[in-house]
Amino acid sequence: MTKRFDNRVAFITGGSRGIGKSIAENFAEDGAKIAIIDIDAEALQNVQSEFRDKGFDILALQANVVNSQEVEATMEQVIQEYGSLDILVNNAGIIRDNLLFKMNDNDWDQVIDVHLKGAFNTTRAAQKHMVHQKYGRIINISSTSALGNPGQANYSTVKAGLQGLTKTLARELGKFGITANSVAPGFIETDMTKSTADRMGIPFEDFLKAGASKIPVGRVGKPSDIANAVAFFADEQSSFVNGQVLYVAGGPTN
Ligand code: NAP
């Protein structure tokens, strides 16, 4: 039986847990070969074993998205092993939340680096292969925080920045059969939102309940909700959908 992403190679940053892992698993279940990069060697090893046990093709490689040499080296390795690179998902992310008057230089620089320098590094490395093969799908993971969120001056800036990058890539690369789109999640239950609850001293269950009460569909999101939207943009048949931002947040909240 043919599958939606047969013969496709998907490269996902920050793919060893949370939203990135779910995106990788969804692609793999639909036939894609998967490459993920991440920093944590043990997490990479675990996800590689788990996916191989399920019969998926996966390369789990250690690289920091901020380091362009590491990104390029891992991408070359993926091309060598799999022969192409069709889908890039810029998902790796961190938060360093604080009100502006308490935000230090490191909080600002690290968030700007991981999200924006990271997406620049991977996209620049990927586009040369995609242009050559005249096919590509680039999906950037933004956030509802792009619309503004107190305590996240750094994070809301990068998530809005990723939307600008998406629209520019769409215009530069469209003629090569490459589309660029963005998925902007709302509240998703992952280690990232758990760390926010921990920082605020709120039990995670209470934090989830409070979040759900503000969301029109009455629940917080799951990583698979985001994987589903990413797969729509990554589909070969979505070739006329380019430069878009899809908010996946259970409905508007303001
Ligand atoms: P998460 O559970 O914290 O996972 C983030 C992943 O990114 C981790 O695997 C982490 O690897 C990796 N990563 C961080 N810095 C990296 C770097 N420099 N190089 C390579 N990998 C790096 O977060 P998540 O909730 O799944 O978030 C995934 C994406 O969705 C992020 O871009 C986030 O901003 C966005 N998002 C999340 C939510 C939400 O509610 N959860 C909402 C909107 C948008 P290590 O384990 O090695 O640190």
Side-chain angles (χ1 to χ4, degrees):
M1 197 182 70
T2 48
K3 291 186 176 173
R4 191 181 189 186
F5 294 109
D6 274 347
N7 303 316
R8 294 295 182 203
V9 176
F11 187 102
I12 300 124
T13 68
S16 68
R17 61 183 157 94
I19 293 171
K21 183 179 174 194
S22 182
I23 291 168
E25 189 155 23
N26 195 39
F27 280 138
E29 278 167 356
D30 267 339
K33 293 185 172 68
I34 301 301
I36 62 170
I37 62 167
D38 217 313
I39 304 174
D40 182 337
E42 196 184 331
L44 283 163
Q45 192 54 52
N46 290 342
V47 74
Q48 180 159 288
S49 309
E50 185 188 325
F51 277 32
R52 287 190 177 157
D53 287 349
K54 290 180 179 170
F56 300 154
D57 285 314
I58 179 169
L59 288 171
L61 306 169
Q62 196 173 16
N64 185 337
V65 290
V66 181
N67 183 319
S68 62
Q69 287 172 345
E70 288 180 16
V71 167
E72 278 167 30
T74 49
M75 221 164 263
E76 284 306 324
Q77 195 177 335
V78 172
I79 303 279
Q80 289 292 322
E81 300 245 355
Y82 288 155
S84 72
L85 198 158
D86 307 299
I87 301 162
L88 168 67
V89 185
N90 286 312
N91 165 80
I94 58 168
I95 46 173
R96 297 287 182 270
D97 296 353
N98 229 328
L99 291 173
L100 186 62
F101 77 101
K102 293 191 213 160
M103 190 172 282
N104 65 36
D105 287 8
N106 273 343
D107 296 334
W108 179 265
D109 291 345
Q110 286 176 4
V111 170
I112 301 287
D113 269 357
V114 172
H115 294 264
L116 290 183
K117 186 80 193 302
F120 168 69
N121 284 338
T122 54
T123 308
R124 186 178 54 177
Q127 61 83 34
K128 64 180 175 215
H129 301 291
M130 291 178 171
V131 167
H132 179 69
Q133 68 192 17
K134 295 220 167 354
Y135 183 86
R137 296 281 179 269
I138 299 167
I139 297 112
N140 294 319
I141 305 300
S142 176
S143 166
T144 48
S145 295
L147 301 169
N149 198 23
Q152 293 197 313
N154 47 6
Y155 187 78
S156 60
T157 298
V158 296
K159 291 308 194 183
L162 284 170
Q163 296 188 13
L165 175 67
T166 300
K167 287 173 193 293
T168 298
L169 296 172
R171 297 187 68 170
E172 280 193 25
L173 302 176
K175 59 179 171 291
F176 302 110
I178 301 166
T179 63
N181 291 286
S182 186
V183 175
F187 187 145
I188 310 297
E189 184 178 350
T190 68
D191 289 347
M192 185 178 273
T193 35
K194 180 164 187 317
S195 74
T196 303
D198 291 348
R199 192 177 54 82
M200 294 168 79
I202 302 171
F204 195 35
E205 280 308 307
D206 295 350
F207 192 64
L208 294 175
K209 265 193 211 140
S213 70
K214 295 182 202 131
I215 297 172
V217 299
R219 67 170 177 89
V220 301
K222 302 185 294 288
S224 58
D225 292 315
I226 305 309
N228 175 51
V230 168
F232 165 70
F233 285 134
D235 197 311
E236 190 174 340
Q237 292 192 60
S238 299
S239 58
F240 207 55
V241 183
N242 193 20
Q244 300 305 302
V245 178
L246 179 60
Y247 282 87
V248 181
T253 49
N254 54 11

